[in-house]
Amino acid sequence: MMTASPESLADVADVDCSEQTALVTGSTNGIGRAAALALGRLGADVFVHGRDPEAGAAVVDELTGMGVRATFEVADFTDPDAVDALAASVRSWCDGLDLLLNNAGGLFRAARRVGPGVEMTFQVNHLAPYLLTARLLGHLREGARVVTTASDAHRGATLDLARVQGDDLLAGMEAYGHSKLANVLFASELARRLDAAGRAVASNSVHPGFVPGSQFGRFLPGPLSTLFRGLGVIPGTASVADGAAELLCAAVAPAGADASGRYFSGQEPVSPSSAARDPDAAARLWAFSAEVLGIDEPLADTPAAAGEAPPSPGA
């Protein structure tokens, strides 16, 4: 039985991306790979990122076989210097980005400090895409879309920045849920700041569903599906193609062109948790992330308005 393509599942098979350039992080396997290949079939040039050179070369071969430009670079997201190098390579490879899919991420069993002395899940899932996006802000074309892969695992988490640096580090599923909350807060705060800066660039986060083929929980013991069911966050996604379709819907669907600051699930904007709708938490996370990374606050000329919430994700 032939599986439907992600672009068909997202109802974007007729969208023309031939004049667009995309960066898809974590695109050597799972939903990132499926989304990258779908964008290639839609005509986009694609910058492929991952940790496996052989897998990256295979994705590039498939893309160039479609007649689009493609390249690959290894970047370890536990290392901020590697993220900086990836951003520099993207800027050298193309004269502008239309699509930035912050998809790379992981679920790790044990607490471990990496990079700037922070818990690994927070570094890989949040700080790395925060830094990458910051370094590429000037490279995003007007009309570009930034899509950050989040998860319904954010529900139940509250922002606790002390536990990504202090003695009592988050670990396992608790760290993962916290990092996914950070993804939703980051995407909404980015949307708010881009709008305040007068930039016609959209930023949204996406719940792609639990996708076994993505292998993101390779460091967890036991079957992940059992773990997620026990936590009550199984979303019902049946395949890698379904998960990639969620990304494509937010990235290229014409109906989503005016959506920004939203959280998508089931290919439509829905309301995230109350903690993910807290504008003060979003502003604190934004400033904390820049401080930890030792960079200037991105879009710093657009300070958060006290008490002003981003657009309702379900509006």
Side-chain angles (χ1 to χ4, degrees):
M1 180 178 177
M2 181 173 288
T3 302
S5 68
E7 58 269 36
S8 295
L9 292 169
D11 197 22
V12 296
D14 294 331
V15 172
D16 181 6
C17 294
S18 60
E19 299 298 322
Q20 298 192 345
T21 301
L23 165 61
V24 185
T25 67
S27 49
T28 56
N29 60 52
I31 64 173
R33 177 181 181 276
L37 293 174
L39 289 170
R41 287 190 292 271
L42 296 177
D45 295 334
V46 184
F47 196 114
V48 178
H49 156 265
R51 298 179 307 127
D52 183 339
E54 186 175 343
V59 177
V60 168
D61 284 347
E62 286 196 60
L63 287 165
T64 55
M66 300 172 193
V68 300
R69 290 179 69 232
T71 191
F72 167 75
E73 182 157 328
V74 171
D76 179 355
F77 273 15
T78 65
D79 180 5
D81 289 341
V83 178
D84 272 334
L86 174 62
S89 295
V90 172
R91 293 193 301 267
S92 296
W93 187 70
C94 61
D95 60 9
L97 272 181
D98 303 281
L99 303 170
L100 169 54
L101 274 60
N102 288 316
N103 172 71
L107 171 53
F108 311 103
R109 180 179 60 207
R112 174 185 161 199
R113 294 182 195 276
V114 297
V118 299
E119 186 274 319
M120 181 164 64
T121 312
F122 188 78
Q123 166 62 38
V124 171
N125 292 2
H126 167 64
L127 288 179
Y130 175 96
L131 178 59
L132 181 64
T133 304
R135 298 307 196 206
L136 292 173
L137 281 172
H139 212 59
L140 295 173
R141 295 188 177 110
E142 293 300 286
R145 299 192 203 182
V146 180
V147 179
T148 300
T149 300
S151 169
D152 259 5
H154 83 274
R155 299 185 187 278
T158 56
L159 192 66
D160 190 350
L161 297 174
R163 295 195 65 194
V164 302
Q165 278 189 312
D167 295 331
D168 184 23
L169 291 179
L170 294 164
M173 190 63 207
E174 191 176 12
Y176 181 75
H178 185 260
S179 73
K180 295 292 104 178
L181 172 62
N183 289 152
V184 182
L185 290 169
F186 160 69
S188 63
E189 180 67 3
L190 176 61
R192 192 199 64 75
R193 289 180 179 243
L194 286 164
D195 181 64
R199 294 287 306 274
V201 175
S203 168
N204 295 293
S205 56
V206 172
H207 167 56
F210 171 61
V211 186
S214 292
Q215 303 174 349
F216 72 94
R218 58 190 174 280
F219 296 109
L220 275 178
L224 277 175
S225 58
T226 300
L227 171 67
F228 273 82
R229 279 195 197 93
L231 291 166
V233 295
I234 257 305
T237 292
S239 71
V240 168
D242 288 313
E246 297 286 342
L247 297 182
L248 289 178
C249 181
V252 302
D258 296 325
S260 195
R262 307 295 182 84
Y263 176 66
F264 281 79
S265 180
Q267 298 187 28
E268 62 182 11
V270 300
S271 183
S273 70
S274 59
R277 302 194 305 272
D278 182 345
D280 292 331
R284 283 193 293 114
L285 174 66
W286 190 273
F288 174 86
S289 302
E291 181 180 358
V292 167
L293 290 165
I295 65 172
D296 292 335
E297 235 181 88
L299 299 168
D301 292 334
T302 55
E308 181 181 340
S312 169

